[in-house]
Amino acid sequence: MGPCDLESILAKIPEETSPELVTSIRAGEDAGVFMLDEDLALVQTVDFFTPIVDDPYLFGQIAAANALSDLYAMGARPLTAMNIVAFPCSLGLDVLERILLGGQEKVHEAGAVILGGHTIEDEEPKYGLAVTGFVKPSDMTKITGARKGDYLVLTKPVGTGILATALKGEFITEDGMSEAIESMCALNGEAARVFSKHGINACTDVTGFALVGHLYEMVRASGAAAEIWAVEVPLLENALKMANMGMIPEGKKLIEDFVPKAQVQADNIDAAVMDCLYDPQTSGGLLASVPAGDVEDIVRDLRDGPCPRAAVIGTITEEEPGSLTILAARRE
Ligand code: CO
Ligand code: CO
């Protein structure tokens, strides 16, 4: 479902007001945070979707990495997970076994355990997880803290939606999108550790609302504005080529509806590059707003460690709050 429809429905549901709740669904935080006591908060999130690759084991891994990502975006450590499965038995139970094995391996890699789950029969397979973790409130990375002068750091290249669309249309094979598959399978946990070691001002993960949509949520929630340098945004291998061939996921239109046109100034950017910036991601990277004094150390630690393609993609500016400027390149 698109972000606009979701926002209008949520607006009609009475807001939860429990005093232990730290995050509001409406602020666009990645996960729900519930204070257990002064020093410890419970963090919960859930995500599931239809297969994005043909290999069931890799689909399980991607779904689990994607579900865990919202915890990492908030600086939380995952503890437990529950499987959510919809499956047509006609597909063969060995396929479901491979999906669940892939998911379990990722959950274990994250240092968490699977407690159980729920399965229903459905025509279209779907898999995901509800995950629970914890965070010290002082270590929590919220979406609301971006400050003027910060730099924007993105930990993974974008283009998974375009490549998955090309795979569905058989314009590319899984071999041709191996970088994307590896990237979607990769946990954001190590990147989150780098961020928490140095301290950052705001964080979210780039998933279904694309880089532009998630950055828009961050600046809107922070009362700030941002500038993106298109040439600095890392793109997955073959993403630009497939965008040029018209492999554009339907979700792109929903993001264009969500981010008001008046809020986006795009300065002469190649159409296929814009497609990548508006490309809904699965298991995308973390997007952090980083104090200027730490950005060099953070990017070095990310590149030498878990995120070889991490990049500084822009900055937080003092333009009108909630506005985005997309420049071809960094100003001299
Ligand atoms: Co998220
Ligand atoms: Co999510």
Side-chain angles (χ1 to χ4, degrees):
M1 182 184 284
C4 289
D5 291 341
L6 187 59
E7 283 199 336
S8 70
I9 290 164
L10 287 178
K12 292 177 191 154
I13 310 287
E15 196 166 6
E16 296 285 354
T17 54
S18 162
E20 293 91 350
L21 272 182
V22 179
T23 54
S24 154
I25 301 182
R26 281 166 214 178
E29 288 295 355
D30 293 288
V33 182
F34 186 91
M35 296 290 287
L36 294 173
D37 62 41
E38 265 172 32
D39 304 315
L40 195 64
L42 193 70
V43 187
Q44 290 190 298
T45 177
V46 56
D47 214 328
F48 64 98
F49 46 81
T50 55
I52 181 168
V53 290
D54 298 327
D55 182 313
Y57 184 79
L58 291 175
F59 170 52
Q61 291 217 316
I62 292 166
N66 182 75
L68 289 158
S69 177
D70 279 330
L71 291 192
Y72 291 132
M74 303 216 59
R77 217 188 97 187
L79 276 185
T80 60
M82 307 275 272
N83 285 320
I84 298 164
V85 180
F87 196 74
C89 291
S90 58
L91 214 59
L93 290 179
D94 55 319
V95 173
L96 180 54
E97 181 189 328
R98 299 291 296 160
I99 293 173
L100 295 177
L101 276 171
Q104 184 181 47
E105 195 207 75
K106 247 331 126 178
V107 168
H108 287 174
E109 187 187 325
V113 289
I114 293 185
L115 295 186
H118 186 70
T119 309
I120 60 164
E121 187 145 8
D122 193 357
E123 274 167 40
E124 196 179 30
K126 298 169 192 81
Y127 174 62
L129 303 99
V131 292
T132 300
F134 67 89
V135 69
K136 266 173 67 171
S138 55
D139 295 342
M140 190 163 66
T141 46
K142 296 172 77 172
I143 198 171
T144 50
R147 283 183 217 144
K148 186 199 136 208
D150 282 358
Y151 285 94
L152 293 164
V153 174
L154 178 65
T155 66
K156 287 183 186 179
V158 298
T160 69
I162 290 164
L163 290 164
T165 304
L167 181 69
K168 270 207 184 91
E170 297 181 5
F171 288 90
I172 199 169
T173 61
E174 285 188 356
D175 281 342
M177 57 180 287
S178 58
E179 190 195 13
I181 291 174
E182 200 179 308
S183 175
M184 289 188 284
C185 286
L187 291 171
N188 282 329
E190 292 297 324
R193 266 184 282 280
V194 170
F195 288 144
S196 86
K197 183 181 115 190
H198 292 277
I200 58 172
N201 288 334
C203 190
T204 191
D205 61 334
V206 178
T207 51
F209 299 174
L211 176 62
V212 163
H214 287 285
L215 180 57
Y216 171 66
E217 280 203 309
M218 181 185 280
V219 292
R220 194 177 62 167
S222 300
E227 185 177 286
I228 304 177
W229 309 318
V231 70
E232 304 295 338
V233 176
L235 305 180
L236 286 164
E237 196 182 327
N238 287 325
L240 208 51
K241 184 175 157 199
M242 291 298 134
N244 269 314
M245 284 170 60
M247 300 294 120
I248 310 305
E250 276 172 36
K252 186 198 165 198
K253 278 200 65 64
L254 300 171
I255 296 150
E256 285 170 334
D257 292 344
F258 171 59
V259 183
K261 287 219 166 46
Q263 298 290 83
V264 184
Q265 301 278 332
D267 173 37
N268 229 342
I269 316 290
D270 178 69
V273 171
M274 283 299 270
D275 290 336
C276 292
L277 303 184
Y278 277 85
D279 183 41
Q281 300 299 286
T282 298
S283 192
L286 297 179
L287 173 67
S289 189
V290 170
D294 297 313
V295 68
E296 241 176 80
D297 290 347
I298 286 175
V299 171
R300 188 203 51 229
D301 283 2
L302 287 170
R303 284 192 185 155
D304 291 350
C307 310
R309 299 204 55 199
V312 183
I313 61 150
T315 180
I316 299 293
T317 65
E318 54 186 352
E319 300 297 310
E320 186 202 331
S323 67
L324 301 178
T325 307
I326 305 175
L327 300 176
R330 191 173 179 161
R331 292 176 216 263
E332 288 306 315

